[in-house]
mmCIF file of all heavy atoms in Angstrom:
data_model
loop_
_atom_site.group_PDB
_atom_site.id
_atom_site.type_symbol
_atom_site.label_atom_id
_atom_site.label_comp_id
_atom_site.label_asym_id
_atom_site.label_seq_id
_atom_site.Cartn_x
_atom_site.Cartn_y
_atom_site.Cartn_z
ATOM 1 N N ALA T 1 9.510 -3.304 -14.765
ATOM 2 C CA ALA T 1 9.037 -2.594 -13.580
ATOM 3 C C ALA T 1 7.599 -2.105 -13.707
ATOM 4 O O ALA T 1 7.191 -1.190 -12.995
ATOM 5 C CB ALA T 1 9.958 -1.399 -13.302
ATOM 6 N N VAL T 2 6.805 -2.710 -14.593
ATOM 7 C CA VAL T 2 5.436 -2.245 -14.785
ATOM 8 C C VAL T 2 4.618 -2.476 -13.516
ATOM 9 O O VAL T 2 4.675 -3.532 -12.902
ATOM 10 C CB VAL T 2 4.785 -2.934 -15.993
ATOM 11 C CG1 VAL T 2 4.742 -4.454 -15.835
ATOM 12 C CG2 VAL T 2 3.391 -2.382 -16.239
ATOM 13 N N ASP T 3 3.876 -1.433 -13.090
ATOM 14 C CA ASP T 3 2.938 -1.558 -11.986
ATOM 15 C C ASP T 3 1.588 -2.029 -12.520
ATOM 16 O O ASP T 3 1.271 -1.855 -13.704
ATOM 17 C CB ASP T 3 2.750 -0.210 -11.284
ATOM 18 C CG ASP T 3 3.996 0.259 -10.558
ATOM 19 O OD1 ASP T 3 4.810 -0.588 -10.151
ATOM 20 O OD2 ASP T 3 4.157 1.486 -10.395
ATOM 21 N N GLY T 4 0.769 -2.583 -11.635
ATOM 22 C CA GLY T 4 -0.568 -3.013 -12.035
ATOM 23 C C GLY T 4 -1.529 -2.914 -10.868
ATOM 24 O O GLY T 4 -1.118 -2.901 -9.702
ATOM 25 N N ARG T 5 -2.796 -2.824 -11.162
ATOM 26 C CA ARG T 5 -3.813 -2.872 -10.109
ATOM 27 C C ARG T 5 -5.124 -3.376 -10.705
ATOM 28 O O ARG T 5 -5.367 -3.258 -11.899
ATOM 29 C CB ARG T 5 -3.999 -1.519 -9.436
ATOM 30 C CG ARG T 5 -4.485 -0.403 -10.340
ATOM 31 C CD ARG T 5 -4.594 0.912 -9.584
ATOM 32 N NE ARG T 5 -5.037 2.000 -10.445
ATOM 33 C CZ ARG T 5 -5.233 3.251 -10.041
ATOM 34 N NH1 ARG T 5 -5.028 3.565 -8.768
ATOM 35 N NH2 ARG T 5 -5.644 4.172 -10.890
ATOM 36 N N HIS T 6 -5.936 -3.974 -9.830
ATOM 37 C CA HIS T 6 -7.233 -4.525 -10.221
ATOM 38 C C HIS T 6 -7.065 -5.584 -11.312
ATOM 39 O O HIS T 6 -7.560 -5.448 -12.426
ATOM 40 C CB HIS T 6 -8.182 -3.413 -10.674
ATOM 41 C CG HIS T 6 -8.416 -2.369 -9.626
ATOM 42 N ND1 HIS T 6 -7.951 -1.085 -9.743
ATOM 43 C CD2 HIS T 6 -9.050 -2.434 -8.430
ATOM 44 C CE1 HIS T 6 -8.293 -0.381 -8.680
ATOM 45 N NE2 HIS T 6 -8.959 -1.184 -7.855
ATOM 46 N N LEU T 7 -6.349 -6.640 -10.957
ATOM 47 C CA LEU T 7 -6.101 -7.753 -11.864
ATOM 48 C C LEU T 7 -6.852 -8.981 -11.367
ATOM 49 O O LEU T 7 -6.867 -9.264 -10.161
ATOM 50 C CB LEU T 7 -4.605 -8.061 -11.950
ATOM 51 C CG LEU T 7 -3.666 -6.899 -12.286
ATOM 52 C CD1 LEU T 7 -2.230 -7.395 -12.392
ATOM 53 C CD2 LEU T 7 -4.090 -6.185 -13.556
ATOM 54 N N VAL T 8 -7.429 -9.748 -12.298
ATOM 55 C CA VAL T 8 -8.218 -10.931 -11.944
ATOM 56 C C VAL T 8 -7.742 -12.112 -12.774
ATOM 57 O O VAL T 8 -7.620 -12.022 -13.998
ATOM 58 C CB VAL T 8 -9.724 -10.694 -12.198
ATOM 59 C CG1 VAL T 8 -10.522 -11.956 -11.864
ATOM 60 C CG2 VAL T 8 -10.230 -9.511 -11.384
ATOM 61 N N SER T 9 -7.488 -13.223 -12.096
ATOM 62 C CA SER T 9 -7.146 -14.481 -12.768
ATOM 63 C C SER T 9 -8.145 -15.549 -12.341
ATOM 64 O O SER T 9 -8.366 -15.758 -11.147
ATOM 65 C CB SER T 9 -5.728 -14.915 -12.384
ATOM 66 O OG SER T 9 -5.474 -16.229 -12.835
ATOM 67 N N TYR T 10 -8.726 -16.243 -13.325
ATOM 68 C CA TYR T 10 -9.729 -17.264 -13.030
ATOM 69 C C TYR T 10 -9.412 -18.528 -13.810
ATOM 70 O O TYR T 10 -9.206 -18.492 -15.025
ATOM 71 C CB TYR T 10 -11.124 -16.744 -13.406
ATOM 72 C CG TYR T 10 -12.242 -17.747 -13.193
ATOM 73 C CD1 TYR T 10 -12.480 -18.285 -11.940
ATOM 74 C CD2 TYR T 10 -13.055 -18.145 -14.250
ATOM 75 C CE1 TYR T 10 -13.497 -19.201 -11.738
ATOM 76 C CE2 TYR T 10 -14.076 -19.058 -14.061
ATOM 77 C CZ TYR T 10 -14.300 -19.590 -12.807
ATOM 78 O OH TYR T 10 -15.306 -20.498 -12.612
ATOM 79 N N GLU T 11 -9.356 -19.647 -13.121
ATOM 80 C CA GLU T 11 -9.160 -20.978 -13.711
ATOM 81 C C GLU T 11 -7.903 -21.036 -14.582
ATOM 82 O O GLU T 11 -7.952 -21.276 -15.789
ATOM 83 C CB GLU T 11 -10.389 -21.405 -14.522
ATOM 84 C CG GLU T 11 -11.700 -21.390 -13.768
ATOM 85 C CD GLU T 11 -11.791 -22.388 -12.619
ATOM 86 O OE1 GLU T 11 -10.784 -22.608 -11.930
ATOM 87 O OE2 GLU T 11 -12.877 -22.944 -12.412
ATOM 88 N N ALA T 12 -6.755 -20.817 -13.962
ATOM 89 C CA ALA T 12 -5.484 -20.896 -14.689
ATOM 90 C C ALA T 12 -5.090 -22.347 -14.902
ATOM 91 O O ALA T 12 -5.280 -23.194 -14.023
ATOM 92 C CB ALA T 12 -4.387 -20.167 -13.916
ATOM 93 N N GLY T 13 -4.487 -22.625 -16.072
ATOM 94 C CA GLY T 13 -3.961 -23.963 -16.312
ATOM 95 C C GLY T 13 -2.648 -24.207 -15.592
ATOM 96 O O GLY T 13 -2.266 -25.342 -15.343
ATOM 97 N N ASP T 14 -1.939 -23.106 -15.262
ATOM 98 C CA ASP T 14 -0.708 -23.207 -14.480
ATOM 99 C C ASP T 14 -0.793 -22.178 -13.349
ATOM 100 O O ASP T 14 -1.713 -22.232 -12.555
ATOM 101 C CB ASP T 14 0.509 -23.010 -15.388
ATOM 102 C CG ASP T 14 1.824 -23.434 -14.731
ATOM 103 O OD1 ASP T 14 1.783 -23.985 -13.618
ATOM 104 O OD2 ASP T 14 2.890 -23.230 -15.322
ATOM 105 N N ASP T 15 0.108 -21.226 -13.291
ATOM 106 C CA ASP T 15 0.134 -20.272 -12.184
ATOM 107 C C ASP T 15 -0.770 -19.076 -12.475
ATOM 108 O O ASP T 15 -0.898 -18.636 -13.619
ATOM 109 C CB ASP T 15 1.562 -19.779 -11.950
ATOM 110 C CG ASP T 15 2.563 -20.926 -11.873
ATOM 111 O OD1 ASP T 15 2.249 -21.928 -11.194
ATOM 112 O OD2 ASP T 15 3.632 -20.827 -12.500
ATOM 113 N N HIS T 16 -1.329 -18.514 -11.424
ATOM 114 C CA HIS T 16 -2.140 -17.307 -11.600
ATOM 115 C C HIS T 16 -1.257 -16.083 -11.813
ATOM 116 O O HIS T 16 -1.493 -15.290 -12.722
ATOM 117 C CB HIS T 16 -3.060 -17.115 -10.393
ATOM 118 C CG HIS T 16 -4.162 -18.120 -10.324
ATOM 119 N ND1 HIS T 16 -5.397 -17.925 -10.895
ATOM 120 C CD2 HIS T 16 -4.212 -19.357 -9.757
ATOM 121 C CE1 HIS T 16 -6.172 -18.983 -10.688
ATOM 122 N NE2 HIS T 16 -5.466 -19.870 -10.000
ATOM 123 N N PHE T 17 -0.234 -15.924 -10.975
ATOM 124 C CA PHE T 17 0.685 -14.796 -11.081
ATOM 125 C C PHE T 17 2.108 -15.335 -10.953
ATOM 126 O O PHE T 17 2.416 -16.035 -9.982
ATOM 127 C CB PHE T 17 0.416 -13.763 -9.984
ATOM 128 C CG PHE T 17 -0.971 -13.179 -10.023
ATOM 129 C CD1 PHE T 17 -1.984 -13.685 -9.215
ATOM 130 C CD2 PHE T 17 -1.266 -12.116 -10.861
ATOM 131 C CE1 PHE T 17 -3.255 -13.155 -9.247
ATOM 132 C CE2 PHE T 17 -2.547 -11.572 -10.915
ATOM 133 C CZ PHE T 17 -3.554 -12.095 -10.104
ATOM 134 N N ASP T 18 2.958 -15.010 -11.916
ATOM 135 C CA ASP T 18 4.302 -15.585 -11.998
ATOM 136 C C ASP T 18 5.293 -14.465 -12.304
ATOM 137 O O ASP T 18 5.109 -13.718 -13.274
ATOM 138 C CB ASP T 18 4.318 -16.635 -13.119
ATOM 139 C CG ASP T 18 5.618 -17.434 -13.186
ATOM 140 O OD1 ASP T 18 6.693 -16.881 -12.884
ATOM 141 O OD2 ASP T 18 5.561 -18.608 -13.570
ATOM 142 N N TRP T 19 6.338 -14.322 -11.452
ATOM 143 C CA TRP T 19 7.366 -13.318 -11.743
ATOM 144 C C TRP T 19 8.758 -13.940 -11.691
ATOM 145 O O TRP T 19 8.977 -14.940 -11.006
ATOM 146 C CB TRP T 19 7.262 -12.121 -10.804
ATOM 147 C CG TRP T 19 7.790 -12.308 -9.405
ATOM 148 C CD1 TRP T 19 9.098 -12.400 -9.000
ATOM 149 C CD2 TRP T 19 7.009 -12.390 -8.197
ATOM 150 N NE1 TRP T 19 9.182 -12.534 -7.640
ATOM 151 C CE2 TRP T 19 7.928 -12.513 -7.112
ATOM 152 C CE3 TRP T 19 5.639 -12.333 -7.920
ATOM 153 C CZ2 TRP T 19 7.506 -12.604 -5.779
ATOM 154 C CZ3 TRP T 19 5.241 -12.424 -6.594
ATOM 155 C CH2 TRP T 19 6.152 -12.567 -5.551
ATOM 156 N N SER T 20 9.688 -13.327 -12.412
ATOM 157 C CA SER T 20 11.073 -13.810 -12.435
ATOM 158 C C SER T 20 11.975 -12.756 -13.080
ATOM 159 O O SER T 20 11.516 -11.712 -13.546
ATOM 160 C CB SER T 20 11.176 -15.135 -13.218
ATOM 161 O OG SER T 20 10.829 -14.930 -14.574
ATOM 162 N N GLU T 21 13.266 -13.030 -13.084
ATOM 163 C CA GLU T 21 14.286 -12.341 -13.868
ATOM 164 C C GLU T 21 14.402 -10.852 -13.583
ATOM 165 O O GLU T 21 14.704 -10.044 -14.452
ATOM 166 C CB GLU T 21 14.066 -12.597 -15.359
ATOM 167 C CG GLU T 21 14.226 -14.073 -15.692
ATOM 168 C CD GLU T 21 14.122 -14.378 -17.172
ATOM 169 O OE1 GLU T 21 14.169 -13.442 -17.994
ATOM 170 O OE2 GLU T 21 13.991 -15.574 -17.504
ATOM 171 N N GLY T 22 14.154 -10.460 -12.304
ATOM 172 C CA GLY T 22 14.371 -9.074 -11.929
ATOM 173 C C GLY T 22 13.150 -8.189 -11.992
ATOM 174 O O GLY T 22 13.286 -6.962 -12.072
ATOM 175 N N TYR T 23 11.952 -8.762 -11.910
ATOM 176 C CA TYR T 23 10.735 -7.942 -11.903
ATOM 177 C C TYR T 23 10.664 -7.147 -10.603
ATOM 178 O O TYR T 23 10.768 -7.713 -9.503
ATOM 179 C CB TYR T 23 9.496 -8.817 -12.053
ATOM 180 C CG TYR T 23 8.203 -8.041 -11.922
ATOM 181 C CD1 TYR T 23 7.949 -6.948 -12.746
ATOM 182 C CD2 TYR T 23 7.239 -8.396 -10.987
ATOM 183 C CE1 TYR T 23 6.772 -6.228 -12.634
ATOM 184 C CE2 TYR T 23 6.054 -7.685 -10.874
ATOM 185 C CZ TYR T 23 5.825 -6.600 -11.691
ATOM 186 O OH TYR T 23 4.665 -5.896 -11.573
ATOM 187 N N VAL T 24 10.461 -5.819 -10.710
ATOM 188 C CA VAL T 24 10.450 -4.954 -9.534
ATOM 189 C C VAL T 24 9.210 -4.065 -9.490
ATOM 190 O O VAL T 24 9.200 -3.047 -8.796
ATOM 191 C CB VAL T 24 11.725 -4.088 -9.468
ATOM 192 C CG1 VAL T 24 12.957 -4.951 -9.234
ATOM 193 C CG2 VAL T 24 11.895 -3.228 -10.724
ATOM 194 N N GLY T 25 8.144 -4.404 -10.210
ATOM 195 C CA GLY T 25 6.936 -3.608 -10.189
ATOM 196 C C GLY T 25 6.111 -3.834 -8.931
ATOM 197 O O GLY T 25 6.437 -4.654 -8.068
ATOM 198 N N ARG T 26 5.036 -3.071 -8.826
ATOM 199 C CA ARG T 26 4.080 -3.200 -7.714
ATOM 200 C C ARG T 26 2.703 -3.527 -8.274
ATOM 201 O O ARG T 26 2.307 -2.975 -9.304
ATOM 202 C CB ARG T 26 3.973 -1.883 -6.917
ATOM 203 C CG ARG T 26 5.164 -1.527 -6.047
ATOM 204 C CD ARG T 26 6.251 -0.767 -6.790
ATOM 205 N NE ARG T 26 5.766 0.380 -7.554
ATOM 206 C CZ ARG T 26 5.555 1.616 -7.028
ATOM 207 N NH1 ARG T 26 5.779 1.838 -5.744
ATOM 208 N NH2 ARG T 26 5.151 2.619 -7.803
ATOM 209 N N VAL T 27 1.971 -4.393 -7.581
ATOM 210 C CA VAL T 27 0.609 -4.762 -7.970
ATOM 211 C C VAL T 27 -0.272 -4.662 -6.732
ATOM 212 O O VAL T 27 0.079 -5.183 -5.674
ATOM 213 C CB VAL T 27 0.551 -6.191 -8.546
ATOM 214 C CG1 VAL T 27 -0.898 -6.618 -8.779
ATOM 215 C CG2 VAL T 27 1.352 -6.286 -9.843
ATOM 216 N N GLN T 28 -1.400 -3.993 -6.861
ATOM 217 C CA GLN T 28 -2.350 -3.912 -5.752
ATOM 218 C C GLN T 28 -3.742 -4.276 -6.241
ATOM 219 O O GLN T 28 -4.125 -3.936 -7.360
ATOM 220 C CB GLN T 28 -2.359 -2.513 -5.130
ATOM 221 C CG GLN T 28 -3.175 -2.457 -3.829
ATOM 222 C CD GLN T 28 -3.027 -1.149 -3.073
ATOM 223 O OE1 GLN T 28 -2.826 -0.097 -3.665
ATOM 224 N NE2 GLN T 28 -3.136 -1.205 -1.751
ATOM 225 N N PHE T 29 -4.486 -4.962 -5.381
ATOM 226 C CA PHE T 29 -5.845 -5.437 -5.675
ATOM 227 C C PHE T 29 -5.790 -6.493 -6.780
ATOM 228 O O PHE T 29 -6.096 -6.236 -7.945
ATOM 229 C CB PHE T 29 -6.778 -4.272 -6.053
ATOM 230 C CG PHE T 29 -6.715 -3.113 -5.109
ATOM 231 C CD1 PHE T 29 -6.341 -1.849 -5.548
ATOM 232 C CD2 PHE T 29 -7.008 -3.282 -3.764
ATOM 233 C CE1 PHE T 29 -6.262 -0.777 -4.682
ATOM 234 C CE2 PHE T 29 -6.932 -2.211 -2.880
ATOM 235 C CZ PHE T 29 -6.556 -0.954 -3.348
ATOM 236 N N ALA T 30 -5.386 -7.690 -6.392
ATOM 237 C CA ALA T 30 -5.242 -8.808 -7.326
ATOM 238 C C ALA T 30 -6.018 -10.003 -6.793
ATOM 239 O O ALA T 30 -5.891 -10.365 -5.614
ATOM 240 C CB ALA T 30 -3.773 -9.178 -7.506
ATOM 241 N N ILE T 31 -6.796 -10.628 -7.672
ATOM 242 C CA ILE T 31 -7.625 -11.775 -7.314
ATOM 243 C C ILE T 31 -7.221 -12.970 -8.162
ATOM 244 O O ILE T 31 -7.093 -12.852 -9.385
ATOM 245 C CB ILE T 31 -9.116 -11.474 -7.549
ATOM 246 C CG1 ILE T 31 -9.610 -10.393 -6.590
ATOM 247 C CG2 ILE T 31 -9.962 -12.739 -7.382
ATOM 248 C CD1 ILE T 31 -11.022 -9.914 -6.889
ATOM 249 N N GLY T 32 -7.027 -14.111 -7.529
ATOM 250 C CA GLY T 32 -6.847 -15.367 -8.230
ATOM 251 C C GLY T 32 -7.802 -16.397 -7.667
ATOM 252 O O GLY T 32 -7.863 -16.586 -6.442
ATOM 253 N N LEU T 33 -8.561 -17.059 -8.519
ATOM 254 C CA LEU T 33 -9.521 -18.079 -8.082
ATOM 255 C C LEU T 33 -9.395 -19.311 -8.948
ATOM 256 O O LEU T 33 -9.466 -19.227 -10.179
ATOM 257 C CB LEU T 33 -10.957 -17.550 -8.167
ATOM 258 C CG LEU T 33 -12.058 -18.590 -7.889
ATOM 259 C CD1 LEU T 33 -11.959 -19.152 -6.480
ATOM 260 C CD2 LEU T 33 -13.443 -17.995 -8.138
ATOM 261 N N GLN T 34 -9.224 -20.441 -8.289
ATOM 262 C CA GLN T 34 -9.258 -21.744 -8.958
ATOM 263 C C GLN T 34 -10.429 -22.514 -8.377
ATOM 264 O O GLN T 34 -10.462 -22.809 -7.185
ATOM 265 C CB GLN T 34 -7.945 -22.502 -8.727
ATOM 266 C CG GLN T 34 -7.706 -23.633 -9.693
ATOM 267 C CD GLN T 34 -7.272 -23.128 -11.066
ATOM 268 O OE1 GLN T 34 -6.580 -22.133 -11.177
ATOM 269 N NE2 GLN T 34 -7.695 -23.815 -12.107
ATOM 270 N N ALA T 35 -11.419 -22.823 -9.198
ATOM 271 C CA ALA T 35 -12.560 -23.600 -8.732
ATOM 272 C C ALA T 35 -12.604 -24.984 -9.348
ATOM 273 O O ALA T 35 -13.302 -25.870 -8.871
ATOM 274 C CB ALA T 35 -13.864 -22.864 -9.036
ATOM 275 N N ALA T 36 -11.851 -25.193 -10.443
ATOM 276 C CA ALA T 36 -11.840 -26.469 -11.151
ATOM 277 C C ALA T 36 -10.522 -26.572 -11.909
ATOM 278 O O ALA T 36 -9.703 -25.657 -11.904
ATOM 279 C CB ALA T 36 -13.022 -26.570 -12.112
ATOM 280 N N ARG T 37 -10.309 -27.691 -12.565
ATOM 281 C CA ARG T 37 -9.152 -27.862 -13.449
ATOM 282 C C ARG T 37 -9.715 -28.210 -14.820
ATOM 283 O O ARG T 37 -10.204 -29.301 -15.041
ATOM 284 C CB ARG T 37 -8.229 -28.960 -12.921
ATOM 285 C CG ARG T 37 -6.928 -29.099 -13.648
ATOM 286 C CD ARG T 37 -6.077 -27.862 -13.580
ATOM 287 N NE ARG T 37 -5.661 -27.488 -12.239
ATOM 288 C CZ ARG T 37 -4.995 -26.386 -11.957
ATOM 289 N NH1 ARG T 37 -4.677 -25.544 -12.918
ATOM 290 N NH2 ARG T 37 -4.647 -26.107 -10.728
ATOM 291 N N LEU T 38 -9.655 -27.253 -15.749
ATOM 292 C CA LEU T 38 -10.325 -27.379 -17.036
ATOM 293 C C LEU T 38 -9.536 -28.240 -18.008
ATOM 294 O O LEU T 38 -8.307 -28.295 -17.971
ATOM 295 C CB LEU T 38 -10.545 -25.992 -17.643
ATOM 296 C CG LEU T 38 -11.310 -24.989 -16.775
ATOM 297 C CD1 LEU T 38 -11.453 -23.670 -17.513
ATOM 298 C CD2 LEU T 38 -12.671 -25.539 -16.367
ATOM 299 N N THR T 39 -10.258 -28.897 -18.927
ATOM 300 C CA THR T 39 -9.637 -29.711 -19.979
ATOM 301 C C THR T 39 -9.283 -28.816 -21.154
ATOM 302 O O THR T 39 -10.136 -28.085 -21.662
ATOM 303 C CB THR T 39 -10.608 -30.809 -20.455
ATOM 304 O OG1 THR T 39 -10.947 -31.630 -19.327
ATOM 305 C CG2 THR T 39 -9.969 -31.660 -21.539
ATOM 306 N N PRO T 40 -8.033 -28.850 -21.626
ATOM 307 C CA PRO T 40 -7.647 -27.956 -22.723
ATOM 308 C C PRO T 40 -8.159 -28.434 -24.072
ATOM 309 O O PRO T 40 -8.605 -29.580 -24.228
ATOM 310 C CB PRO T 40 -6.114 -27.994 -22.675
ATOM 311 C CG PRO T 40 -5.793 -29.333 -22.096
ATOM 312 C CD PRO T 40 -6.894 -29.626 -21.110
ATOM 313 N N ALA T 41 -8.038 -27.558 -25.053
ATOM 314 C CA ALA T 41 -8.388 -27.909 -26.420
ATOM 315 C C ALA T 41 -7.477 -29.016 -26.924
ATOM 316 O O ALA T 41 -6.291 -29.074 -26.586
ATOM 317 C CB ALA T 41 -8.266 -26.681 -27.319
ATOM 318 N N ALA T 42 -8.011 -29.903 -27.725
ATOM 319 C CA ALA T 42 -7.230 -31.008 -28.280
ATOM 320 C C ALA T 42 -6.045 -30.470 -29.074
ATOM 321 O O ALA T 42 -6.196 -29.565 -29.891
ATOM 322 C CB ALA T 42 -8.110 -31.872 -29.169
ATOM 323 N N GLY T 43 -4.867 -31.019 -28.805
ATOM 324 C CA GLY T 43 -3.666 -30.634 -29.534
ATOM 325 C C GLY T 43 -3.014 -29.358 -29.066
ATOM 326 O O GLY T 43 -2.004 -28.935 -29.637
ATOM 327 N N SER T 44 -3.565 -28.724 -28.029
ATOM 328 C CA SER T 44 -3.022 -27.433 -27.585
ATOM 329 C C SER T 44 -1.972 -27.564 -26.507
ATOM 330 O O SER T 44 -1.278 -26.597 -26.186
ATOM 331 C CB SER T 44 -4.153 -26.548 -27.068
ATOM 332 O OG SER T 44 -4.730 -27.107 -25.904
ATOM 333 N N GLY T 45 -1.828 -28.751 -25.933
ATOM 334 C CA GLY T 45 -0.898 -28.949 -24.828
ATOM 335 C C GLY T 45 -1.609 -29.574 -23.652
ATOM 336 O O GLY T 45 -2.737 -30.085 -23.780
ATOM 337 N N PHE T 46 -0.966 -29.506 -22.498
ATOM 338 C CA PHE T 46 -1.488 -30.179 -21.315
ATOM 339 C C PHE T 46 -1.456 -29.234 -20.120
ATOM 340 O O PHE T 46 -0.563 -28.389 -20.016
ATOM 341 C CB PHE T 46 -0.661 -31.427 -20.997
ATOM 342 C CG PHE T 46 -0.619 -32.416 -22.117
ATOM 343 C CD1 PHE T 46 0.407 -32.394 -23.050
ATOM 344 C CD2 PHE T 46 -1.636 -33.352 -22.261
ATOM 345 C CE1 PHE T 46 0.446 -33.294 -24.092
ATOM 346 C CE2 PHE T 46 -1.611 -34.257 -23.299
ATOM 347 C CZ PHE T 46 -0.570 -34.226 -24.226
ATOM 348 N N PRO T 47 -2.407 -29.359 -19.210
ATOM 349 C CA PRO T 47 -2.348 -28.546 -17.991
ATOM 350 C C PRO T 47 -1.072 -28.838 -17.221
ATOM 351 O O PRO T 47 -0.515 -29.933 -17.290
ATOM 352 C CB PRO T 47 -3.586 -28.993 -17.212
ATOM 353 C CG PRO T 47 -4.476 -29.650 -18.210
ATOM 354 C CD PRO T 47 -3.573 -30.251 -19.230
#
């Protein structure tokens, strides 16, 4: 149930904000921006 505010996500490899399994918190003032799809480090996985 953690609340949050003023959160910024930039260039996520998957989701910017993801909730599940009974999350009941509140978040206000949240920014997500995708401008490109970045190449990950070798051997680290895949977007």
Side-chain angles (χ1 to χ4, degrees):
V2 60
D3 293 333
R5 62 182 179 179
H6 302 111
L7 307 183
V8 178
S9 170
Y10 178 59
E11 304 295 37
D14 194 6
D15 311 316
H16 289 269
F17 300 97
D18 187 327
W19 77 72
S20 64
E21 296 184 13
Y23 175 56
V24 293
R26 288 86 50 84
V27 173
Q28 189 171 31
F29 312 120
I31 293 172
L33 173 62
Q34 198 76 34
R37 188 61 62 185
L38 304 180
T39 301
S44 65
F46 302 93

